[in-house]
Amino acid sequence: MGERPTMNENDVCAQNRATRRRVLAVAGAGAATALGGCLGDDDSGNGDENGDQSGEGNGGENGDESEDSVVTGTVRGVVEDGTIEVGTQSASISGTQQTYEIENIEHGEHPVTISADGEEVFDESLSVDGPTTYDVTIDSVRYTYTRPPGEIEDMKSLIDDLVEVGITDLFVEAFFHGETIYPSDIATEKEYDETYFEETIAYAHEQGLRIHAWTQVLYWYNLPFIGDPPEGHILDGDDVIEVDGEEYTVDLDLVTVDTDDNIVAESGKVFVSPFSDDVVETTLDVIEELDTNYDVDGISIDYIRFPGGTAPWEPRAYGYEDIGPYEDGMDDDELQEHRIDAVTDLTTEIGDVLSEDTLYSASVFPGFYIDEGEPFEQYKAQDWKDWIGTTEIDWLATMCYALDPDNEDVTFEARGEEIDASLNAEDNGVTVLPLVAVSDGHPDVQSQHEELLAGAGGAGYGLWRENDLLADDSYNDQIP
């Protein structure tokens, strides 16, 4: 697999102990590793070959070390209401990847500290002898996902358990199967109390846990699992279809179908089409409703793709419908590009309706980029690399799920390639946080940390999903 960033004696990197929830600017316990490093370069190309620390000149044209310099860089991780100090000068930082600039730094050796909520979470030193780029990665995030239990007390108990083991961010499924877990003016509602989501957010914040509203963007139903859509549901309609010998009634105007007019994929899932104006409008309305009415820390989009089977070698399998760009004579590559553009456009539009202070994240499959010479078998018209720097995405949860159930070494190698592909893509204000599966049949938490994550140099990672990580006995009191 590809090589990951490592630390050596020449790096300015160092391992520091930090409190993750203090990095998140709230109270809490639990230790984590903070990785610091000078990873940037300036435009002069005078940094060392590792790009660890770059300086432009030595204090002026004649090497006059009496001149002051500027230190610029990026703090990657999640820091709210934080401060970075270089010597006696400082700058404010906040977000998943905050760029800073500090002027009037005298030449010489200076302490560099990062604080959040009055607590120091990073402490290193920096030698300045000219304009310097200094990038730092704070290993601050441990996240997971949950489909919320039916009773609020069970949800509170789950939050307590997750906080205790060190989870910093919880993605709560707020829109799934085309319905919401809160009172909505846009969609029908699941059977949760009216104040359930509001209480969940408030209680989580009291415990120092950040809440992201997790939404299934283009997967709106599962016919074999649930039956006909309920009255008033987005897909409620009069069109009769047959699935595995059973008849159902739905609204076929919104869904994506295959070449045999099947509307189900991936074990019964019904995907709606991003080519549909109604689908796009409804999606944007739900996202805006969540962002406006609830004090969520972030909005997360999932299933922002076409179904499995939408691949370059069978490109007409899905998206072959009246809603969309298909025309007689259109070749496979043209159709595939239209699909990719539709998914990217929707991702862009979602970001445009979100508040500026709402973290915008997406769950994506990184595998297509493992080997650019061969298309990834799960390619689903999800060109996530193109979203970096062209959309409002703040962080990407890359689903590193590669698995050989009969050979753990193969699993680690393939999953390691997915993690490498993820972190190597990190750029332009987007933080990439690998998500590894720890459910039944996958390697345990501790072994994945030791084999894949401990030396990756990222700003944190996620574990799929909450019940599995809590049942995992490979780690001690806190996830590593």
Side-chain angles (χ1 to χ4, degrees):
M1 71 186 103
E3 294 193 10
R4 290 187 195 80
T6 57
M7 293 186 290
N8 59 56
E9 62 185 6
N10 296 317
D11 292 336
V12 183
C13 300
Q15 290 193 341
N16 298 272
R17 303 303 291 177
T19 301
R20 282 203 295 275
R21 265 173 297 288
R22 285 176 179 164
V23 174
L24 300 177
V26 290
T33 302
L35 299 177
C38 296
L39 306 174
D41 338 290
D42 66 0
D43 294 334
S44 69
N46 291 330
D48 67 25
E49 65 179 349
N50 296 321
D52 283 342
Q53 182 175 324
S54 57
E56 189 173 358
N58 291 308
E61 189 173 342
N62 298 317
D64 180 1
E65 294 193 2
S66 66
E67 290 192 15
D68 292 341
S69 292
V70 176
V71 177
T72 58
T74 298
V75 178
R76 196 186 298 275
V78 180
V79 180
E80 293 181 355
D81 301 323
T83 301
I84 180 169
E85 296 184 28
V86 179
T88 60
Q89 308 295 340
S90 65
S92 297
I93 51 175
S94 183
T96 60
Q97 181 171 287
Q98 181 64 46
T99 300
Y100 69 91
E101 178 176 312
I102 304 177
E103 299 179 338
N104 303 319
I105 303 298
E106 296 180 355
H107 294 178
E109 195 83 8
H110 297 282
V112 178
T113 59
I114 297 175
S115 301
D117 197 29
E119 297 288 340
E120 190 175 285
V121 296
F122 178 80
D123 182 11
E124 252 302 322
S125 63
L126 174 67
S127 179
V128 177
D129 62 358
T132 303
T133 299
Y134 186 77
D135 291 346
V136 177
T137 294
I138 305 284
D139 182 11
S140 62
V141 178
R142 299 292 183 272
Y143 67 100
T144 193
Y145 294 75
T146 187
R147 176 165 293 175
E151 300 298 327
I152 188 62
E153 293 307 316
D154 292 335
M155 186 64 186
K156 290 179 178 179
S157 178
L158 175 62
I159 288 171
D160 289 340
D161 291 342
L162 292 173
V163 168
E164 186 174 352
V165 300
I167 291 295
T168 62
D169 292 72
L170 179 60
F171 290 67
V172 177
E173 208 165 15
F175 176 71
F176 63 99
H177 294 155
E179 298 187 292
T180 67
I181 67 166
Y182 59 88
S184 173
D185 294 329
I186 312 302
T188 53
E189 300 146 23
K190 296 284 187 181
E191 294 182 359
Y192 291 89
D193 288 344
E194 286 190 3
T195 60
Y196 183 98
F197 195 39
E198 185 178 2
E199 287 186 61
T200 294
I201 297 166
Y203 186 77
H205 286 169
E206 288 174 6
Q207 312 312 310
L209 184 69
R210 291 150 46 103
I211 294 294
H212 303 250
W214 169 28
T215 61
Q216 295 178 349
V217 175
L218 294 175
Y219 161 36
W220 280 9
Y221 210 64
N222 190 310
L223 286 170
F225 181 67
I226 308 173
D228 284 335
E231 184 177 352
H233 187 279
I234 300 169
L235 291 181
D236 182 22
D238 299 323
D239 298 310
V240 179
I241 61 161
E242 184 175 304
V243 178
D244 296 332
E246 295 289 333
E247 284 192 349
Y248 302 93
T249 55
V250 297
D251 181 355
L252 290 177
D253 289 340
L254 306 180
V255 302
T256 185
V257 302
D258 69 7
T259 48
D260 296 322
D261 292 331
N262 294 318
I263 72 165
V264 298
E266 300 180 11
S267 303
K269 295 172 184 173
V270 177
F271 280 74
V272 290
S273 175
F275 296 130
S276 163
D277 291 339
D278 287 341
V279 167
V280 171
E281 182 179 350
T282 300
T283 297
L284 296 178
D285 287 345
V286 168
I287 296 292
E288 193 166 17
E289 180 179 63
L290 271 168
D291 188 35
T292 301
N293 295 343
Y294 293 92
D295 185 26
V296 291
D297 299 283
I299 299 287
S300 181
I301 57 173
D302 196 2
Y303 287 96
I304 179 72
R305 59 178 177 82
F306 276 84
T310 307
W313 56 86
E314 52 177 4
R316 297 189 188 278
Y318 291 96
Y320 186 88
E321 71 267 355
D322 293 334
I323 314 163
Y326 177 74
E327 299 171 2
D328 289 336
M330 178 179 287
D331 66 33
D332 294 343
D333 289 339
E334 287 177 307
L335 180 57
Q336 187 74 341
E337 285 303 312
H338 278 297
R339 288 199 191 98
I340 292 170
D341 289 344
V343 172
T344 297
D345 288 346
L346 180 53
T347 303
T348 301
E349 291 184 67
I350 291 171
D352 290 341
V353 304
L354 291 178
S355 305
E356 197 170 303
D357 59 350
T358 300
L359 283 173
Y360 180 26
S361 64
S363 301
V364 299
F365 287 97
F368 179 69
Y369 292 97
I370 288 175
D371 183 349
E372 295 186 4
E374 294 291 335
F376 178 54
E377 64 181 0
Q378 295 295 325
Y379 187 42
K380 299 173 172 72
Q382 190 180 66
D383 193 3
W384 62 271
K385 245 184 177 180
D386 187 53
W387 303 351
I388 297 177
T390 65
T391 71
E392 296 297 323
I393 290 283
D394 295 303
W395 99 25
L396 289 164
T398 53
M399 296 177 284
C400 301
Y401 296 166
L403 176 67
D404 183 335
D406 300 319
N407 191 324
E408 193 170 82
D409 289 340
V410 172
T411 293
F412 283 142
E413 181 176 1
R415 200 165 288 191
E417 289 179 359
E418 290 181 316
I419 292 171
D420 288 341
S422 302
L423 295 178
N424 288 339
E426 195 169 55
D427 198 5
N428 295 321
V430 176
T431 295
V432 179
L433 295 155
L435 175 66
V436 297
V438 295
S439 48
D440 188 38
H442 290 264
D444 61 46
V445 172
Q446 188 65 38
S447 63
Q448 290 199 70
H449 183 261
E450 292 173 358
E451 295 288 335
L452 301 171
L453 299 163
Y461 60 89
L463 299 168
W464 175 264
R465 53 189 285 178
E466 87 290 9
N467 289 331
D468 298 298
L469 78 88
L470 290 174
D472 191 303
D473 61 2
S474 66
Y475 60 92
N476 292 324
D477 294 338
Q478 290 226 323
I479 55 177

